[in-house]
Amino acid sequence: MERRVAERLRSTLGPLGLEVHAFKVGWYNAVLQPAFHLPYPDDTLAFVVLSTPSMFDKALKPFVKKERLKIIRDPVDQCVSHHLSRVKEKFPDQRMDVMFDYEMLPSRKPKFLAQTAAHVAGAAYYYQRKDVKRDPWGKKKIFGVCIHPKYGGWFAIRGLLLFPDIQVPFLEQPAPADCVSAEEKRIELLEQFNFHWQDGRYRDIIEVKERYSEEQKTYFATPPAERFRLLGLSQ
């Protein structure tokens, strides 16, 4: 069942520059405190959705062109929301819940922890402070970051698709590719991400197969309120 669902999702979302990776809710809940658990049985089938560098040209720009006369608040969020919501049409006989990376609970906690979901699904390795044996940071706060084996840091985690009526007790968990295995490279990665994230060097911590285009880099480097004009939109 998981394979049929995955194939349908990939055939729908792949041409848009979106990747999907299956996981069981129990894998995610097992590594988090109860306050962050997803409220589904452990064997529930879920997919984490990533946007790859090609999403900008394959999905975002066509979406904006089509929706140009409508009110657009955040082009990327609305583009992803549009396409993930349309996926439901591919599963008329299945209940499908969608969570987006920008959604918050009433408690102001995120609905899901995106990087944890990507890690347990084997989509990208979530490098954290605990992955460094000789911690050089003392009392500084150090945030973790996911690295994709193909795109390095040139990708984003956009959402979850959950199928509450599909239980997959025998689904095997894939390990994420540990593509930054050397201790000094992990320190370099976390240093760059925490203290120099604006220059984007952390994204190229490994040799990548594809990265954002110059147009896309400019778009994401531009303050959100000014991005509309880059896409030919009025705010």
Side-chain angles (χ1 to χ4, degrees):
M1 183 55 137
E2 174 273 330
R3 194 168 296 173
R4 288 204 304 273
V5 173
E7 286 173 358
R8 196 175 299 178
L9 288 174
R10 288 178 183 131
S11 67
T12 304
L13 297 175
L16 300 168
L18 297 170
E19 269 188 11
V20 294
H21 297 264
F23 69 98
K24 291 202 301 187
V25 165
W27 303 345
Y28 175 92
N29 288 348
V31 297
L32 293 171
Q33 297 172 345
F36 292 102
H37 284 186
L38 294 171
Y40 300 85
D42 281 353
D43 287 336
T44 302
L45 177 63
F47 292 84
V48 63
V49 182
L50 313 181
S51 62
T52 71
S54 66
M55 188 274 282
F56 193 80
D57 286 321
K58 290 180 176 178
L60 180 63
K61 292 205 289 190
F63 171 79
V64 167
K65 187 175 181 181
K66 186 179 177 186
E67 305 291 313
R68 194 174 296 282
L69 298 179
K70 299 181 182 177
I71 295 172
I72 294 181
R73 297 177 302 279
D74 181 288
V76 173
D77 287 350
Q78 282 185 251
C79 172
V80 173
S81 173
H82 168 77
H83 288 297
L84 295 192
S85 297
R86 287 198 64 187
V87 167
K88 287 187 176 184
E89 299 168 12
K90 303 290 183 181
F91 299 93
D93 302 321
Q94 291 289 352
R95 180 180 156 205
M96 189 182 97
D97 296 341
V98 184
M99 294 182 185
F100 299 102
D101 66 300
Y102 53 82
E103 289 186 299
M104 296 286 183
L105 296 167
S107 64
R108 302 307 298 160
K109 286 191 179 82
K111 274 197 171 182
F112 73 99
L113 299 183
Q115 300 201 104
T116 299
H119 186 94
V120 300
Y125 200 108
Y126 184 23
Y127 291 97
Q128 301 176 73
R129 187 174 194 158
K130 65 182 178 61
D131 296 311
V132 172
K133 295 185 178 69
R134 299 185 301 279
D135 187 321
W137 298 295
K139 294 183 179 179
K140 290 179 182 175
K141 177 79 173 174
I142 299 294
F143 294 96
V145 60
C146 271
I147 295 296
H148 189 286
K150 183 176 178 182
Y151 305 116
W154 301 101
F155 78 104
I157 304 156
R158 299 297 181 185
L160 295 186
L161 305 176
L162 298 116
F163 292 83
D165 299 328
I166 302 179
Q167 303 296 299
V168 284
F170 302 112
L171 188 65
E172 293 186 10
Q173 184 171 10
D178 181 7
C179 43
V180 189
S181 55
E183 173 92 349
E184 61 273 16
K185 287 300 261 186
R186 291 181 178 185
I187 292 172
E188 181 185 344
L189 170 64
L190 293 174
E191 286 269 346
Q192 289 180 358
F193 179 70
N194 280 271
F195 308 122
H196 309 285
W197 63 268
Q198 296 97 328
D199 64 25
R201 280 182 297 151
Y202 78 91
R203 299 179 188 270
D204 286 312
I205 195 70
I206 64 169
E207 188 173 330
V208 300
K209 303 270 195 307
E210 190 180 348
R211 57 172 59 84
Y212 291 174
S213 64
E214 290 306 315
E215 181 186 16
Q216 192 171 177
K217 287 179 191 175
T218 300
Y219 177 83
F220 286 114
T222 300
E226 297 171 27
R227 291 175 182 172
F228 292 86
R229 62 179 175 75
L230 296 179
L231 294 173
L233 297 169
S234 57
Q235 191 170 349

